[in-house]
Amino acid sequence: MRPAVRCFGLAAPLLLAASVAHGIEQGEPRSGIAFASPETRAMQADDTANPGLFWVLDGEQLWAKREGAAQKSCGDCHGAASASMKGIAARYPAFDDKTGQAVDLTGRINLCRTRHQQATPLPHEGKEMLALTAFVGFQSRGLPMAPPADPRLAPARAQGEALFTQRMGQLDLSCANCHEANWQGRLGGSPITQGQSNAYPLYRLEWQGLGSLQRRMRACMVGVRAEPFDYGAPEFVALEAFLATRAKGLPVETPGVRP
Amino acid sequence: MPRTLINVPKTAKAGEIVEVRAMIAHPMETGQRMGVNGAMIPRDIVNRFVCTYGSEVVFAADLWPAVSANPFLSFSLRAKEAGVITFSWTEDSGAVHVATADITVT
């Protein structure tokens, strides 16, 4: 993350000087892949070149693995993921009745682990959770992001929007300063983009591996020298709930590829 | 056994030039990175890749620590006769991972 800190530091004065805002409300939401190089786009589009598929294949195996005191696999309850999980990732985060809170896909899978498999929750950024979220997300690939019209999600979305527009960190920048006001600009030579959430978890070349949306947001927060929220924090779920409303209609790309 | 993804056309015309792709899930740990408590993470890379078509080596490459994780290789070969195309990746430890694909030539 060090290089990111350095280049954000250099770019901050430029960002602050930019006065013309190009809010994305003026145009269509645009996926991060539209800003990527032809090589990166080709890598994402080809399942024999997209390394994210390794996680999808691992997830397929985990789907069938019996776990916990209940000795049940995901498939024992949900059947074939190609049918039962189709479209699910496109409408997450969703509202969970039992906890009365918004949950993202990672949170939901951990609820199934604890509630239904009587197993321990999986670490957020561990190989297994990334494989399961990649596999479940993959079943929605190509479907439009469809945040549910559930009024119970309104508080989380409002909190997410407030966090998105709140300045933070030593560089005193909000997410919106970059991803709303300057998404057509560049930072340290790379496109800033709209910061859309439709391709996660995704393979980032810089990470040399797959990572979650929260890992990406943590990187942005560290970039402005803010203290990032913990993995799984309600603030991150709220941001995800807000990001999903911004990404409405964009095709799910899981597993995406980004530089 | 790390996962591999290979792509070979199932059929080709005799003499046709076909594209072949091969990728292996591998950390390609360079040996230059520090882990917890400042301890060096030992080097662990795939250092050799060989593709054979029937009994003939048609493509081979040495890989070095600067190659990214999950290395992807793409090359072309000329379809001659029906046979097995074998891909093998050799790790620093000496372990060899093999994947094969059949090609039918018409």
Side-chain angles (χ1 to χ4, degrees):
Chain A
M1 289 302 96
R2 287 285 168 236
V5 171
R6 236 181 291 132
C7 70
F8 282 12
L10 286 174
L14 296 177
L15 285 169
L16 296 173
S19 55
V20 190
H22 312 268
I24 64 167
E25 62 276 6
Q26 292 171 10
E28 301 278 293
R30 205 184 291 175
S31 167
I33 198 66
F35 300 79
S37 69
E39 293 78 11
T40 305
R41 270 182 270 161
M43 194 188 276
Q44 172 171 301
D46 177 351
D47 284 352
T48 57
N50 179 344
L53 266 293
F54 287 130
W55 279 259
V56 172
L57 294 171
D58 285 345
E60 184 175 21
Q61 215 163 40
L62 291 171
W63 181 261
K65 194 170 159 220
R66 302 225 150 90
E67 288 275 4
Q71 277 302 295
K72 286 232 162 81
S73 73
C74 317
D76 286 340
C77 290
H78 294 291
S82 56
S84 67
M85 292 293 129
K86 192 172 177 181
I88 300 286
R91 56 175 178 73
Y92 264 70
F95 192 81
D96 178 53
D97 299 318
K98 291 186 192 111
T99 53
Q101 280 177 338
V103 283
D104 61 8
L105 196 57
T106 302
R108 167 62 72 202
I109 291 174
N110 267 337
L111 284 175
C112 276
R113 297 240 340 149
T114 52
R115 273 180 197 161
H116 302 303
Q117 293 182 309
Q118 276 124 54
T120 49
L122 294 169
H124 195 281
E125 217 56 23
K127 202 170 177 353
E128 290 184 309
M129 181 53 87
L130 290 173
L132 281 168
T133 49
F135 176 65
V136 171
F138 186 68
Q139 313 306 321
S140 298
R141 191 165 68 163
L143 297 176
M145 291 283 283
D150 183 342
R152 296 172 303 172
L153 286 169
R157 286 172 179 157
Q159 186 195 1
E161 182 165 16
L163 288 166
F164 196 81
T165 48
Q166 177 189 308
R167 288 176 181 271
M168 58 175 86
Q170 287 179 330
L171 299 193
D172 202 28
L173 288 169
S174 72
C175 318
N177 284 151
C178 285
H179 294 300
E180 292 278 348
N182 285 292
W183 62 266
Q184 285 152 314
R186 298 175 88 85
L187 185 56
S190 318
I192 292 175
T193 86
Q194 296 179 352
Q196 297 289 2
S197 60
N198 56 311
Y200 284 81
L202 58 69
Y203 191 89
R204 195 167 171 219
L205 300 174
E206 186 187 308
W207 293 335
Q208 309 240 326
L210 204 82
S212 69
L213 177 55
Q214 294 194 8
R215 180 170 178 192
R216 175 65 249 191
M217 290 193 283
R218 283 173 62 92
C220 283
M221 292 181 76
V222 170
V224 296
R225 299 184 199 158
E227 180 80 36
F229 305 122
D230 290 334
Y231 282 118
E235 287 88 348
F236 269 147
V237 179
L239 273 167
E240 289 171 334
F242 171 65
L243 289 178
T245 62
R246 279 172 94 233
K248 186 175 174 181
L250 286 177
V252 175
E253 293 168 16
T254 311
V257 177
R258 295 288 182 276
Chain B
M1 167 85 192
R3 280 189 189 280
T4 56
L5 280 173
I6 55 175
N7 186 28
V8 174
K10 286 203 172 57
T11 59
K13 290 199 182 67
E16 191 184 339
I17 292 171
V18 297
E19 196 195 353
V20 164
R21 294 175 220 159
M23 178 163 60
I24 184 166
H26 201 280
M28 296 295 281
E29 193 58 64
T30 61
Q32 312 279 351
R33 294 199 311 150
M34 242 179 244
V36 282
N37 301 329
M40 294 309 277
I41 305 173
R43 178 178 136 155
D44 170 21
I45 69 168
V46 168
N47 59 46
R48 179 85 179 151
F49 171 83
V50 178
C51 174
T52 54
Y53 182 3
S55 54
E56 192 190 343
V57 172
V58 288
F59 184 91
D62 290 327
L63 281 71
W64 300 94
V67 174
S68 75
N70 310 310
F72 169 83
L73 290 160
S74 162
F75 48 94
S76 24
L77 47 84
R78 190 184 296 276
K80 292 175 305 190
E81 58 206 23
V84 182
I85 299 181
T86 305
F87 303 85
S88 75
W89 293 261
T90 306
E91 288 186 289
D92 283 341
S93 67
V96 182
H97 306 290
V98 176
T100 58
D102 294 322
I103 185 165
T104 307
V105 177
T106 54

